[in-house]
Structure formats: structure tokens, C-alpha cells
Amino acid sequence: MPDGHRSLDLFEIALILAIALIVIGPERLPEVMRTVGKVLRELRLASNTVLHELTDVLDEPPAKAPPTAPKSEPPAVQPPAAVPTEKT
């Protein structure tokens, strides 16, 4: 498969269920399968939520930057004013 995902075929699913039946036992197998189903459902919902939030953020147009004040020339240096001195 070109996208890298691989699904289980019928034989693999039957093999996993047979091993689970042997390890867990027939009494607890339905309870364990319900728990696994709930966990997988919660993981799928969480991953879909994250995927939708990321898609929304990436699809938003970039926010405009606030306008900046144009750079002004530094004030010209003026010669010091003549300081009157008292002649005595």
C-alpha cells in the first residue's frame, strides 16, 4: 500500500482472537474486548480532535502585524548655544 498503512486480513484477526481466547479465557474475553473497543474509540476521537485543531490553525490566514512607525532620522546635532559670560 503506497500510504504506509497496513490493515489486518481475516486470518490475522482470527489468530489474534484465538490467542486472546487461550490467554484470557472465555469468561473474561467479552469484558476485555469491550474495554479494548472503548480505549480504541477514545484514541480515535482524541486523534481526530487534534487533527481538526491543527488543520484549523494551519488553514487560518496569517495575522497582520501591527503597523510599525517609520524610522525617522536621528535629530541633527546642533552646536551648543553661546553661553553669555559676564565681563568684569
Side-chain angles (χ1 to χ4, degrees):
M1 295 184 175
D3 62 357
H5 292 96
R6 184 182 181 291
S7 62
L8 298 175
D9 61 6
L10 185 61
F11 175 73
E12 292 170 330
I13 293 173
L15 183 64
I16 291 170
L17 287 174
I19 293 171
L21 185 63
I22 292 169
V23 172
I24 297 171
E27 299 86 26
R28 292 192 46 219
L29 186 61
E31 175 188 341
V32 170
M33 295 303 288
R34 273 193 296 274
T35 304
V36 168
K38 288 178 184 178
V39 168
L40 290 176
R41 183 174 39 250
E42 290 295 322
L43 285 174
R44 188 180 317 120
L45 289 173
S47 67
N48 285 341
T49 302
V50 170
L51 180 66
H52 289 302
E53 288 179 5
L54 284 175
T55 304
D56 290 345
V57 168
L58 293 175
D59 287 343
E60 288 179 1
K64 288 187 175 182
T68 57
K71 290 187 176 181
S72 61
E73 300 274 332
V77 178
Q78 297 177 353
V83 178
T85 57
E86 288 184 31
K87 291 187 179 180
T88 51

